[in-house]
């Protein structure tokens, strides 16, 4: 493989590197485009735990929509807790306010015994719909996101995959 790389002319090598950059920038633009369309900073998320079983299983890929702020009881939402980076996927079990008052939500995992008040930030009893919610689940693909979980749990796999993808693009002949 290394000998194939050294056999490339400088122009061919530059073309392959630019093609790789084009692939990465296209993926980034698609992600940002989805973010704008769905009005969500993360339009696609992966279920990381079993707290929503049997509705969603670990590794399910969820598609979010955040347009329209009138979230109903029974709707599955994804939210961020202040000070934590991992989004949480749970169902709305109670709602307060709405209309002139800010909409506040109480959530719970389908597979959990208690509501999520222990997961919320200190001093927070409810989620604010406009600031805490990333989006409502509108669709899913079962187990498709498991690759993401594997890459997170085994960081060396990420390096290997990126290296292999880069080699494939650079060594590809047209």
């Amino acid at each position: 493989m290394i000998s194939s790389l050294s056999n490339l002319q400088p122009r061919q090598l530059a073309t392959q590197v630019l093609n790789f950059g084009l692939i990465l920038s296209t993926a980034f633009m698609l992600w940002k485009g989805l973010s704008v369309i769905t009005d969500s900073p993360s339009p696609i998320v992966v279920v990381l735990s079993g707290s929503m079983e049997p509705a969603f299983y670990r590794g399910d890929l969820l598609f979010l929509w955040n347009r329209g702020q009138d979230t109903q009881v029974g709707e599955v939402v994804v939210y961020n807790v202040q000070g934590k980076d991992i989004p949480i996927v749970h169902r709305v079990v109670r709602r307060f306010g709405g209309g002139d008052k800010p909409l506040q939500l109480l959530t719970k995992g389908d597979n959990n015994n208690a509501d999520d008040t222990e997961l919320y930030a200190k001093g927070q009893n409810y989620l604010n719909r406009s600031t805490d919610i990333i989006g409502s689940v509108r669709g899913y693909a079962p187990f498709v996101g498991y690759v993401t979980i594997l890459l997170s749990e085994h960081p060396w796999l990420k390096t290997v995959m990126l290296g292999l993808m880069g080699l494939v693009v650079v060594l590809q002949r047209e």
Side-chain angles (χ1 to χ4, degrees), residues 76-98:
V76 178
V77 296
V78 177
Y79 65 90
N80 268 337
V81 175
Q82 298 165 4
K84 297 181 183 173
D85 290 341
I86 298 172
I88 298 173
V89 180
H90 282 174
R91 191 176 306 277
V92 174
V93 292
R94 292 188 71 189
R95 66 178 254 152
F96 306 93

Side-chain angles (χ1 to χ4, degrees), residues 126-137:
Y126 305 103
L127 297 172
N128 184 320
R129 174 60 179 93
S130 59
T131 58
D132 296 325
I133 303 295
I134 297 172
S136 297
V137 177

Side-chain angles (χ1 to χ4, degrees), residues 80-123:
N80 268 337
V81 175
Q82 298 165 4
K84 297 181 183 173
D85 290 341
I86 298 172
I88 298 173
V89 180
H90 282 174
R91 191 176 306 277
V92 174
V93 292
R94 292 188 71 189
R95 66 178 254 152
F96 306 93
D100 295 339
K101 298 178 183 176
L103 182 58
Q104 294 184 316
L105 307 170
L106 179 65
T107 57
K108 177 186 172 295
D110 290 357
N111 203 19
N112 293 350
N113 293 327
D115 62 37
D116 292 347
T117 51
E118 293 295 322
L119 298 175
Y120 300 159
K122 188 174 182 175

Side-chain angles (χ1 to χ4, degrees), residues 14-172:
T15 301
Q16 298 303 335
V17 169
L18 286 173
N19 281 339
F20 185 65
L22 183 64
I23 290 169
L24 290 178
S25 63
T26 300
F28 178 74
M29 286 188 299
L30 285 171
W31 180 262
K32 285 301 177 185
L34 274 175
S35 293
V36 169
I37 291 167
T38 63
D39 194 28
S40 174
S42 294
I44 300 172
V45 296
V46 175
V47 177
L48 298 175
S49 74
S51 67
M52 280 302 292
E53 291 179 6
F56 302 112
Y57 292 90
R58 190 168 191 253
D60 287 356
L61 193 68
L62 305 178
F63 303 100
L64 307 182
W65 187 259
N66 201 30
R67 298 210 178 263
Q69 302 284 317
D70 192 31
T71 304
Q72 300 298 319
V73 171
E75 200 170 320
V76 178
V77 296
V78 177
Y79 65 90
N80 268 337
V81 175
Q82 298 165 4
K84 297 181 183 173
D85 290 341
I86 298 172
I88 298 173
V89 180
H90 282 174
R91 191 176 306 277
V92 174
V93 292
R94 292 188 71 189
R95 66 178 254 152
F96 306 93
D100 295 339
K101 298 178 183 176
L103 182 58
Q104 294 184 316
L105 307 170
L106 179 65
T107 57
K108 177 186 172 295
D110 290 357
N111 203 19
N112 293 350
N113 293 327
D115 62 37
D116 292 347
T117 51
E118 293 295 322
L119 298 175
Y120 300 159
K122 188 174 182 175
Q124 184 179 18
N125 294 320
Y126 305 103
L127 297 172
N128 184 320
R129 174 60 179 93
S130 59
T131 58
D132 296 325
I133 303 295
I134 297 172
S136 297
V137 177
R138 291 293 180 250
Y140 76 103
F143 302 109
V144 173
Y146 221 92
V147 173
T148 305
I149 293 173
L150 288 175
L151 293 176
S152 295
E153 290 178 353
H154 307 287
W156 60 271
L157 267 176
K158 195 180 303 183
T159 306
V160 169
M161 264 186 82
L162 284 173
L164 287 174
M165 287 171 33
L167 273 174
V168 166
V169 169
V170 170
L171 297 178
Q172 165 187 327

